[in-house]
């Protein structure tokens, strides 16, 4: 069987997203399997386990629902390993979850009775700011799984923005991947231009934080503590303003037109921001540009300000707006390349899914328009910004194409951070 | 006859302490054994039969009767038959008459039925063994049963013949599939090598700055048919297939 024929059956993609692990072989077609990227560490001292025997060290997938107990212990026992895109070197519980989820994913697609199967060509994807030790740990995990199961013929790891560019058939572009905890801006010209990557310590979680504060101010202090409700409100009521000052002025003068009302499904609770409905524009603005002076009052009342943090060797910037961040990333690339990069800016990730309700067009905008506005303010005009269609599966699709196309003979190189890592002689 | 099995038979008896003797020394009115052996434990006679007993029932009976007539002249008595004929031998008849059975399979001899020790009747060497009338009737009955069994087997064999034809056709198909699979492998390898050659002919150019992204055109590549839609017209397939050559990432 030729390499191409083998890979048509046994190329495997893995996207370690902040909230979900998307995985599956090329034979899945357009859509992979999805499981929440989290693990639960049961309390072995519980009476239930003393009666029923020792549980697994870490529980993943649908089984977690059987173990969820009090809210207080969830924070301690429920681990989202990729919540911030980067796992701390010594965070053994997070790595344990990654290993268990990876094993689950590969076993889920173990071919039955196929004598030609010698293991998958696995292409995994990590955040573009993942430090080298994360690559080493992920290779180790796959090696161990292969030793136990024979499921891994070769493995490679690529940055998520590269996978997005591949899935969208764009060899030269800037990919902005914005997840729950952080945002990565990565220029790509056939390779990810690593030295030009800009990372922001801001993501969907920060939009949740300001939504919570707005709910508190509107008299819904009890709901402001419920993470799921806050997220629902953000998605239902949050708007991105074309220009925040202008949007607030119009919304305050036409309160009924911009009134924000949301009924929580399955309950009797209706949230009505009433005269404070203009604040719905703050939710979107905060994601794209937290530097507006209006946010100072929130910071002074205790809302945490996004800080610059260093994880591994990477500095995650807190307060840079998206426009500045794109310009900084592009200007780290050769001047000749810069126009081509601005010509295709791809937005990917759940943090760009902002709606424009009917009747509010012009005042509220989508993510692509907002980015263009931010760049225009800074003198960058010839820009094309696109939302990646089906962003949820882009990374997995890119992984599948990468795994299929990169030749088996191209061995892993730590200098290039590319190629196939093989564990068998 | 299993004459070609003689050395093996000699070896088998020798390993049990018997030496080859001249059968003519034991000739009597009932004839003589095909092979004879003597040793400290006494004498052993051997009557040798061949594949003929599969098709000729009288031949088997004659062999048994001949052996039976020699029973009183030796301590051990065996009928030796080739492996193919063993299923056609009625061991019950042999057991009844104190005759052992040896199976000869090339150089290998297997004792299927042991011969019991019987004392030689001194003073009556060569005396023709009398055949009891009941014994003959019994033999004939068993022979008839054997005939019936054989005819049933023949009918079953006839019924299997059409299946044999089908099996032959299936074997032919399997060979054709194998041949096709080999051809597909060869063609696939040629395609891969052609694709690699074409890639090698294209100028790779500097990595950065990159010109405007190539616009995919033309019909879909045949090797991509059946793959998910995101493979279609994807310029990365060519770019990635050249990974590991001379490009250096930025």
């Amino acid at each position: 069987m030729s390499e191409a024929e083998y890979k048509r059956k046994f190329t495997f993609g893995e996207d370690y997203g902040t909230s979900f692990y998307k995985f599956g072989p090329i034979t899945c077609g357009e859509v992979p399997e999805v499981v929440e990227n989290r693990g639960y560490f049961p309390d072995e001292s519980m009476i239930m386990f003393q009666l029923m025997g020792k549980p697994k060290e870490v529980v993943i997938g649908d089984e977690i629902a059987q173990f969820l107990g009090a809210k207080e212990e969830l924070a301690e026992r429920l681990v989202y390993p990729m919540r911030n895109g980067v796992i701390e070197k010594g965070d053994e519980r997070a790595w344990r979850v990654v290993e268990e989820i990876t094993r689950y994913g590969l076993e889920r697609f173990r071919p039955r009775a196929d004598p030609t199967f010698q293991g998958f060509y696995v292409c995994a994807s990590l955040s573009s700011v993942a430090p080298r030790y994360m690559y080493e740990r992920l290779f180790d995990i796959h090696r161990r799984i292969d030793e136990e199961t024979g499921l891994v013929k070769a493995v490679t790891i690529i940055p998520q923005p590269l996978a997005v560019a591949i899935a969208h058939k764009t060899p030269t572009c800037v990919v902005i991947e914005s997840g729950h905890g952080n945002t990565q801006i990565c220029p790509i010209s056939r390779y990810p231009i690593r030295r030009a990557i800009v990372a922001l310590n801001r993501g969907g979680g920060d939009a949740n934080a300001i939504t919570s504060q707005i709910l508190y101010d509107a008299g819904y202090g009890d709901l402001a503590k419920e993470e799921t409700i806050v997220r629902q409100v953000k998605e239902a009521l949050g708007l991105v303003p074309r220009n925040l000052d202008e949007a607030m002025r119009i919304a305050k003068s036409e309160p009924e037109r911009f009134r924000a009302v949301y009924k929580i499904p399955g309950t009797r609770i209706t949230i009505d921001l009433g005269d404070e409905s203009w604040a719905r524009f703050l939710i979107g603005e905060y994601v794209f540009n937290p530097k507006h002076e209006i946010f100072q009052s929130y910071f002074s009342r205790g809302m945490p300000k996004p800080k610059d943090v260093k994880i591994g060797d990477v500095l995650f910037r807190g307060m840079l707006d998206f426009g500045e961040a794109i310009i900084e990333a592009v200007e780290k690339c050769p001047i000749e390349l810069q126009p081509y990069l601005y010509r295709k800016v791809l937005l990917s990730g759940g943090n760009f899914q902002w709606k424009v309700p009917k009747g509010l067009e012009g005042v509220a905008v989508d993510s692509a328009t907002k980015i263009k506005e931010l760049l225009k303010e800074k003198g960058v005009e010839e820009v094309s910004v696109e939302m990646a269609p089906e962003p949820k599966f882009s990374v997995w699709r890119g992984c599948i194409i990468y795994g299929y196309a990169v030749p088996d003979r191209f061995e892993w190189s730590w200098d290039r951070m590319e190629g196939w890592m093989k564990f068998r002689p | 006859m299993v004459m070609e099995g003689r050395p093996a038979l000699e070896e088998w008896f020798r390993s049990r302490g018997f030496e080859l003797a001249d059968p003519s020394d034991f000739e009597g009115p009932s004839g003589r054994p095909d092979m004879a052996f003597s040793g400290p434990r006494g004498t052993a006679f051997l009557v040798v039969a061949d594949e003929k007993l599969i098709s000729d029932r009288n031949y088997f009976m004659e062999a048994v009767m001949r052996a039976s007539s020699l029973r009183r002249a030796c301590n051990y008595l065996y009928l030796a038959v080739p492996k193919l004929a063993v299923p056609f031998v009625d061991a019950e008849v042999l057991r009844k008459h104190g005759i052992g059975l040896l199976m000869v399979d090339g150089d290998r001899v297997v004792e299927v039925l042991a011969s019991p020790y019987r004392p030689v009747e001194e003073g009556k060497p060569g005396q023709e063994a009398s055949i009891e009338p009941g014994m003959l009737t019994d033999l004939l009955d068993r022979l008839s049963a054997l005939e019936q069994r054989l005819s049933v087997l023949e009918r079953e064999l006839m019924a299997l013949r059409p299946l044999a034809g089908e099996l032959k056709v299936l074997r032919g198909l399997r060979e054709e599939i194998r041949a096709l699979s080999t051809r597909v492998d060869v063609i696939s390898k040629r395609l891969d090598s052609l694709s690699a050659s074409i890639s090698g002919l294209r100028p790779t150019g500097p990595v950065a700055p990159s010109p405007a992204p190539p616009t995919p055109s033309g019909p879909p590549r045949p090797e991509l048919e059946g793959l998910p839609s995101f493979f279609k017209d994807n310029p990365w397939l060519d770019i990635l297939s050249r990974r590991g050559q001379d490009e250096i990432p930025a």
Side-chain angles (χ1 to χ4, degrees):
Chain A
M1 187 186 284
S2 71
E3 184 184 332
E5 282 174 304
Y6 191 86
K7 284 184 170 176
R8 279 178 84 106
K9 288 163 79 178
F10 303 125
T11 302
F12 198 96
E14 294 176 337
D15 171 18
Y16 294 91
T18 50
S19 299
F20 295 96
Y21 169 62
K22 285 141 270 182
F23 64 98
I26 188 169
T27 47
C28 282
E30 307 290 325
V31 176
E33 288 268 319
V34 179
V35 66
E36 283 199 80
N37 196 354
R38 62 180 188 172
Y40 183 79
F41 290 83
D43 178 0
E44 291 178 20
S45 65
M46 281 173 73
I47 291 174
M48 183 174 94
F49 300 136
Q50 286 172 19
L51 292 173
M52 298 173 67
K54 200 179 169 193
K56 291 178 195 167
E57 184 197 347
V58 55
V59 181
I60 55 153
D62 296 339
E63 257 189 273
I64 288 182
Q66 301 166 27
F67 290 86
L68 297 182
K71 256 189 262 174
E72 292 72 32
E73 68 149 34
L74 277 191
E76 189 195 333
R77 300 198 171 278
L78 194 59
V79 175
Y80 285 81
M82 295 284 178
R83 203 52 153 175
N84 296 307
V86 175
I87 302 177
E88 294 283 352
K89 203 168 190 174
D91 189 351
E92 290 306 323
R93 295 215 306 176
W95 286 114
R96 190 72 193 82
V97 174
V98 171
E99 179 159 356
E100 206 52 41
I101 280 206
T102 307
R103 183 179 282 106
Y104 168 83
L106 288 162
E107 281 288 7
R108 172 92 181 69
F109 286 101
R110 175 192 283 280
R112 305 281 168 222
D114 188 334
T116 61
F117 180 69
Q118 293 165 11
F120 288 111
Y121 279 95
V122 178
C123 179
S125 190
L126 288 176
S127 158
S128 63
V129 290
R132 177 174 163 145
Y133 69 78
M134 282 187 70
Y135 281 66
E136 290 168 346
R137 290 295 294 256
L138 202 55
F139 280 137
D140 265 357
I141 284 172
H142 283 86
R143 179 182 48 73
R144 267 200 301 280
I145 292 174
D146 183 51
E147 281 168 4
E148 289 164 22
T149 65
L151 284 166
V152 183
K153 185 179 172 73
V155 60
T156 187
I157 303 170
I158 61 173
Q160 283 158 347
L162 174 64
V164 171
I166 293 170
H168 294 96
K169 310 176 182 180
T170 315
T172 306
C173 60
V174 176
V175 175
I176 310 181
E177 169 79 22
S178 191
H180 179 84
N182 65 48
T183 302
Q184 316 148 44
I185 293 115
C186 181
I188 286 169
S189 178
R190 288 193 281 178
Y191 290 89
I193 305 172
R194 290 179 188 273
R195 60 184 156 74
I197 293 171
V198 172
L200 301 181
N201 183 24
R202 224 164 59 240
D206 295 270
N208 292 357
I210 194 155
T211 307
S212 169
Q213 194 63 46
I214 290 166
L215 282 173
Y216 186 81
D217 291 347
Y220 298 99
D222 50 341
L223 299 179
K225 294 174 196 160
E226 297 267 349
E227 193 182 332
T228 315
I229 303 298
V230 169
R231 186 172 48 77
Q232 284 178 21
V233 173
K234 173 189 78 174
E235 288 168 3
L237 303 181
L239 296 176
V240 177
R242 180 186 289 278
N243 174 288
L244 183 59
D245 291 326
E246 190 70 5
M248 285 194 299
R249 188 185 60 75
I250 298 172
K252 281 178 182 172
S253 64
E254 298 177 63
E256 275 311 304
R257 183 181 162 202
F258 290 90
R259 188 163 176 182
V261 181
Y262 176 66
K263 184 174 185 308
I264 300 170
T267 71
R268 296 189 301 140
I269 305 165
T270 299
I271 294 166
D272 184 352
L273 295 184
D275 290 344
E276 300 294 311
S277 292
W278 57 269
R280 61 198 298 199
F281 284 110
L282 299 183
I283 300 173
E285 182 73 11
Y286 189 60
V287 170
F288 289 82
N289 175 23
K291 284 199 289 197
H292 193 282
E293 59 190 19
I294 195 166
F295 296 118
Q296 290 306 321
S297 69
Y298 288 90
F299 298 143
S300 61
R301 282 189 287 139
M303 189 176 84
K305 188 176 179 179
K307 288 186 183 133
D308 290 358
V309 289
K310 198 164 184 194
I311 302 177
D313 294 332
V314 183
L315 178 66
F316 288 75
R317 315 276 282 279
M319 293 297 282
L320 215 56
D321 78 46
F322 277 8
E324 288 171 323
I326 293 168
I327 291 170
E328 190 174 314
V330 170
E331 290 188 350
K332 284 181 183 172
C333 301
I335 292 171
E336 212 178 331
L337 178 63
Q338 292 178 13
Y340 295 106
L341 292 172
Y342 283 128
R343 236 173 256 176
K344 192 86 166 183
V345 178
L346 268 177
L347 308 182
S348 172
N351 199 24
F352 288 127
Q353 307 279 319
W354 298 93
K355 292 177 213 148
V356 180
K358 211 170 176 186
L360 303 187
E361 298 93 341
V363 186
V365 293
D366 61 14
S367 298
T369 312
K370 182 69 180 177
I371 298 266
K372 271 194 235 175
E373 287 294 322
L374 287 170
L375 288 169
K376 196 174 163 187
E377 280 173 19
K378 293 161 185 73
V380 182
E381 301 255 358
E382 284 190 35
V383 185
S384 163
V385 186
E386 279 176 30
M387 259 309 286
E390 291 199 76
K392 202 172 170 189
F393 306 129
S394 299
V395 173
W396 175 80
R397 289 175 182 178
C399 287
I400 289 292
I401 291 185
Y402 189 95
Y404 176 84
V406 169
D408 169 87
R409 63 174 182 276
F410 180 25
E411 291 188 3
W412 178 262
S413 151
W414 284 107
D415 293 333
R416 295 181 172 212
M417 297 291 276
E418 279 205 304
W420 290 110
M421 177 71 86
K422 293 172 188 168
F423 311 118
R424 303 179 198 169
Chain B
M1 296 285 268
V2 279
M3 286 302 118
E4 60 270 26
R6 273 177 175 269
L9 288 163
E10 277 181 40
E11 182 54 39
W12 189 83
F13 277 98
R14 196 169 286 125
S15 69
R16 283 157 180 77
F18 289 91
E19 285 303 322
L20 185 65
D22 186 352
S24 59
D25 292 349
F26 299 94
E27 188 153 22
S30 306
R32 60 179 185 181
D34 295 322
M35 294 177 84
F37 299 89
S38 60
R41 287 158 59 198
T43 52
F45 285 179
L46 194 61
V47 173
V48 182
D50 60 22
E51 282 99 341
K52 198 177 164 192
L53 68 80
I54 297 171
S55 52
D56 189 344
R57 268 74 77 188
N58 287 332
Y59 176 75
F60 171 64
M61 208 181 93
E62 278 168 18
V64 172
M65 288 181 72
R66 192 157 68 89
S68 181
S69 68
L70 295 167
R71 189 63 194 100
R72 295 177 189 200
C74 59
N75 302 112
Y76 301 96
L77 176 65
Y78 283 94
L79 177 67
V81 297
K83 186 184 175 185
L84 269 179
V86 169
F88 298 89
V89 174
D90 190 337
E92 199 50 44
V93 175
L94 299 183
R95 191 175 286 117
K96 193 167 180 180
H97 298 288
I99 304 168
L101 178 65
L102 294 178
M103 180 185 82
V104 182
D105 178 18
D107 295 338
R108 198 164 64 99
V109 174
V110 177
E111 187 181 50
V112 179
L113 180 66
S115 163
Y117 176 87
R118 289 210 180 149
V120 176
E121 292 184 13
E122 295 293 338
K124 298 178 187 174
Q127 188 182 23
E128 193 168 346
S130 63
I131 298 172
E132 299 160 23
M135 180 182 136
L136 193 59
T137 318
D138 184 52
L139 272 175
L140 287 171
D141 286 348
R142 288 180 178 274
L143 192 62
S144 163
L146 272 173
E147 277 176 340
Q148 281 172 11
R149 246 175 86 187
L150 198 65
S151 60
V152 169
L153 279 173
E154 275 172 355
R155 277 201 299 278
E156 283 175 3
L157 199 64
M158 292 301 282
L160 283 174
R161 270 197 180 158
L163 286 178
E166 282 174 27
L167 197 65
K168 205 173 170 185
V169 172
L170 281 174
R171 277 192 188 137
L173 279 173
R174 192 177 63 184
E175 288 311 310
E176 277 179 38
I177 288 167
R178 268 192 196 149
L180 278 172
S181 171
T182 313
R183 280 186 65 191
V184 168
D185 272 350
V186 169
I187 291 167
S188 172
K189 276 177 192 153
R190 280 184 190 162
L191 267 175
D192 283 349
S193 106
L194 270 173
S195 173
S197 315
I198 291 165
S199 302
L201 288 172
R202 286 185 191 148
T204 49
V207 173
S210 165
T215 37
S217 61
R221 299 182 341 184
E223 71 269 27
L224 300 180
E225 279 172 22
L227 289 174
S229 67
F230 48 89
F231 277 75
K232 196 181 169 196
D233 297 334
N234 197 322
W236 280 98
L237 286 167
D238 277 336
I239 295 169
L240 294 171
S241 67
R242 293 201 293 272
R243 284 295 208 255
Q245 294 176 13
D246 296 327
E247 287 185 82
I248 305 291

